[in-house]
Amino acid sequence: MTGSAPLLEVDKLVKEYRGGRRLADRLTGRPETVVRAVTGVSLSIARGEIVGLIGESGCGKSTLGRSILRLHEPTSGRVTFDGTDVTALAAPAMKAMRRRMQIIFQDPYASLNPRRTVGEIVGLPLRLHGLARSPAEVRDLVAAMIEKVGLKSAHLDRYPHQFSGGQRQRIGIARALVSHPEFIVCDEPVSALDVSIQAQIIQLLTDLKSEMGLTYLFISHDISVIGYLSDRVAVMYLGELVEFGPVEDVLARPRHPYTQSLMSAVPEVDRPGHRHRVRLEGDLPSPLAPPPGCRFHTRCPFATDICRREAPRTETVGPGHTAACHRLSENLSLLDEEQA
Ligand code: SF4
């Protein structure tokens, strides 16, 4: 944590997707399907900070990132950015705010229009926000940004399919940064890339953060990446934050059994004295019908009756470190268990 006031505050954010009711559903009295993708998430991010958001595929982390930017409209809750309630902004003001809040997508190929040149793709935010006085200025600004992300200005007239996966992600990064935003949702930006390219893109994002004074919400299912990059880490399970705190505390002393299971599944994470692996059994339950009580109880080896009945409250377990589990006081740890 950098110690400055939060740049971004998320307060009890909820995102539900309603399936609607077909005629047959109405006739049979079947209720409308509701997917509760994000359920009351609160977190803050200081200016210049990287908060890593980790969880399994389908846990709601991408939905949370997109709801913060209102790419998906939140169902309820509030997002405050630099003192402005983003969730209350009308469309024109939200459009202006998007210059300051951007996203880098996971799939650099799907997110780039194949019929546009690199110059057109990266120049679009400049034109949308009126940030250049002439086409020549757009081209100059785009060329400068393209070189900043490690490509060449000679690439401006080429199309996305003429680039490798890593180069396409550099184009996606250039498009996100060309309007000089302050906050970026990095939505699994290296997950679709080869391991050798991942390190280059992570280094690029780290360098650009320092150079441009950026703040990141960095979404990943890879705890090694999160551990390397983040100042603080938020752990998400089935739409809820189950643990949040300084990265060195959460990774060295994970308090929630789910965080512990994520840690134990990654042998290369440096945890001297803890080399045991605990496999997370079963699949993530459906957000259509989340389990009652603690949502993790169907997979938790420490679950008791109260876990099946009551949702645990979020409690402080250390400086700036919170977790939500009924059995925190017992200091349970999967990581200390001897495995055969
Ligand atoms: Fe496991 Fe119970 Fe804690 Fe949930 S509340 S993580 S089921 S011990």
Side-chain angles (χ1 to χ4, degrees), residues 3-67:
S4 55
L7 176 65
L8 181 91
E9 286 183 288
V10 178
D11 185 29
K12 301 188 185 76
L13 193 83
V14 172
K15 178 60 188 173
E16 295 175 350
Y17 297 97
R18 294 185 172 269
R21 294 177 83 200
R22 291 169 301 173
L23 180 61
D25 296 333
R26 281 189 231 126
L27 292 175
T28 57
R30 199 163 23 212
E32 183 183 34
T33 54
V34 180
V35 177
R36 297 180 174 87
V38 176
T39 311
V41 167
S42 299
L43 57 83
S44 65
I45 307 181
R47 194 179 283 278
E49 190 179 28
I50 300 179
V51 167
L53 179 62
I54 188 154
E56 286 163 282
S57 189
C59 73
K61 46 192 196 309
S62 289
T63 303
L64 174 60
R66 287 161 199 231
S67 300

Side-chain angles (χ1 to χ4, degrees), residues 74-105:
T75 305
S76 64
R78 180 185 299 203
V79 177
T80 307
F81 180 78
D82 199 18
T84 299
D85 182 353
V86 170
T87 32
L89 292 179
M94 190 62 223
K95 183 184 161 205
M97 183 60 89
R98 287 242 167 76
R99 187 197 68 74
R100 303 175 65 190
M101 308 170 78
Q102 285 286 333
I103 184 167
I104 297 167
F105 294 99

